[in-house]
Amino acid sequence: MSLDVEKLVVGTVLKESLYSDSGQLLLRRGSYVSEEVYKRLRRRSASRIVAPPPVSLDSYAAGLPGSDASRHGCKPYDDRQVQRLQQRFESAAETVTDLADAFNQRKLKSAQGLRDLAGDCIDDMSNDMDQVLSAMCEVPEDHRLAARCMRMGMICVAIGMEMDLPKDELIRVGTAGVVHDWGLFSLPPELRYIHPEMTFQQRIQYTRHPFYAHDLLRAISNVDGSVLLAVLQAHERIDGSGFPSGLRGDPICLFARILAVADTYLALTAPVGDLPAVVPCDAVAYLVGQLGKSRFDPRVVRGFLQSMAQFPIGSLLQLNDHRQVKVLRSNGKQYGRPIVQDLMSSEILDLAQHDLDIVKPILRHDPSEYRLKPEFRRLMDNRDLPEYLHKDCFVRPEMVDV
């Protein structure tokens, strides 16, 4: 079905994705058609665009594949598929930017576009979670809040899938992950992240952003109550150390507990201001170590480990035979034995099937990554990670030599 660009109405939300005659995605379904989006579409497209046959949202309610093999390591690694998924991720981030702008201008009237984003993510992950996470890792890190929101939603969905949540709950937790920090869009850029230069008053303003997001979301139709609660509680911690209300224990809902783990991982692995990124495996060690302080829900951390593994997808590692490899896939409950690719020969190795050990991570330089203190690297060996679930490995990320 062809549509005339001139007939698109500014201020509406697309019910279907729009493509050019050549098949290039121009605008995802769920996108808010603002004046800027309309102008951008006019510049990038011909006068007529194509909409694919409608897809029923009822398909989102279908059950997920019953085997873990459908999500981990079931198919050969496909560079072209990862590239396609990267393009979809970048397009989705643009959609989030448009929806967030409409949200903060109080022009977003329905949550359907957000549900569509979460549903698309779930469909991709149901087919092959590892390749979706790999594509997410390969997209260059930037400081766009929208891209971080998409990463947050994807990791929340991945955790939820490993916890065997039903699909309707996956849609809600994915939606909550995407929107949980939208209250930050109303703050100046310098107040959107905690940093040492913040004054006391600025920190107070920052810690109130869950209230801003919650109040604005309440005005939008079709926003489930569980999403509202998760957004309000996303920065709470089980030990009472979180904000904005300092809740402790049972009052914190499951979705908020999932958001807490995903948000902490992203906060550690992305550079913020003058603070460097922590190498991914050390960020995992931090999360595991916090279980000894009862800061995170053990069920959620286990779901995170099963989806991201001890050495998350995209990590660069050195083996004991001096080969340098990149993690392509996790390997079920063998958290420390991922499936990797040799950076020189492109050979793909299942470390669970080879007598090879991981010696250390390789630090990236763009953006720069750093390690935790040496005494907290005991999780870097290849013993079974769960035996460390209750050991205390808390430490602030610091710049130390490899």
Side-chain angles (χ1 to χ4, degrees), residues 34 104 202 298 306 339 402:
S34 64
N104 280 288
Q202 289 174 330
Q306 290 177 190
I339 297 171
V402 177

Side-chain angles (χ1 to χ4, degrees), residues 91-281:
S91 174
E94 289 185 5
T95 298
V96 169
T97 298
D98 296 333
L99 290 172
D101 287 343
F103 170 79
N104 280 288
Q105 296 172 29
R106 293 173 170 75
K107 295 180 180 179
L108 188 62
K109 304 301 182 184
S110 171
Q112 191 60 59
L114 296 167
R115 286 177 52 85
D116 290 343
L117 279 174
D120 288 345
C121 175
I122 293 165
D123 288 343
D124 288 337
M125 286 198 173
S126 299
N127 184 48
D128 195 329
M129 180 189 293
D130 288 341
Q131 296 224 115
V132 174
L133 295 175
S134 179
M136 178 188 76
C137 295
E138 293 297 329
V139 173
E141 185 67 53
D142 58 39
H143 297 285
R144 284 186 304 159
L145 192 53
R148 188 185 188 282
C149 290
M150 276 304 302
R151 287 185 169 90
M152 179 77 176
M154 293 170 72
I155 293 177
C156 288
V157 167
I159 294 172
M161 290 177 71
E162 294 298 339
M163 295 179 68
D164 294 323
L165 298 184
K167 201 157 192 178
D168 61 334
E169 292 188 14
L170 291 176
I171 292 174
R172 293 201 294 272
V173 75
T175 299
V178 171
V179 305
H180 87 289
D181 267 346
W182 278 15
L184 293 174
F185 281 96
S186 62
L187 299 178
E190 64 273 13
L191 298 185
R192 293 178 181 177
Y193 302 95
I194 289 286
H195 54 85
E197 291 76 23
M198 271 185 167
T199 65
F200 177 76
Q201 289 76 15
Q202 289 174 330
R203 283 179 177 268
I204 293 297
Q205 188 176 0
Y206 173 86
T207 59
R208 294 189 62 81
H209 78 261
F211 290 128
Y212 305 151
H214 177 268
D215 291 346
L216 289 173
L217 284 167
R218 288 179 61 186
I220 300 174
S221 64
N222 304 325
V223 177
D224 190 86
S226 61
V227 174
L228 291 173
L229 186 60
V231 168
L232 189 60
Q233 297 182 349
H235 295 284
E236 303 288 356
R237 298 295 180 263
I238 294 176
D239 65 353
S241 63
F243 65 85
S245 301
L247 297 179
R248 180 188 298 269
D250 291 342
I252 303 174
C253 68
L254 176 60
F255 288 178
R257 296 172 184 225
I258 293 174
L259 266 62
V261 170
D263 185 61
T264 300
Y265 176 76
L266 287 176
L268 286 171
T269 55
V272 178
D274 294 332
L275 299 178
V278 174
V279 68
C281 58

Side-chain angles (χ1 to χ4, degrees), residues 279-347:
V279 68
C281 58
D282 282 7
V284 173
Y286 173 90
L287 287 169
V288 173
Q290 290 304 291
L291 293 178
K293 293 177 175 288
S294 301
R295 185 162 294 177
F296 300 112
D297 188 325
R299 299 169 300 165
V300 177
V301 174
R302 191 173 296 277
F304 175 85
L305 288 171
Q306 290 177 190
S307 60
M308 300 292 285
Q310 180 181 351
F311 302 98
I313 293 170
S315 297
L316 302 180
L317 307 170
Q318 181 175 315
L319 305 181
N320 60 344
D321 64 356
H322 302 293
R323 277 191 281 186
Q324 296 183 338
V325 299
K326 179 175 74 172
V327 177
L328 296 183
R329 294 186 179 279
S330 56
N331 217 349
K333 293 183 180 180
Q334 300 190 69
Y335 305 125
R337 311 290 292 180
I339 297 171
V340 301
Q341 183 176 39
D342 189 312
L343 294 178
M344 295 295 292
S345 68
S346 298
E347 179 185 5

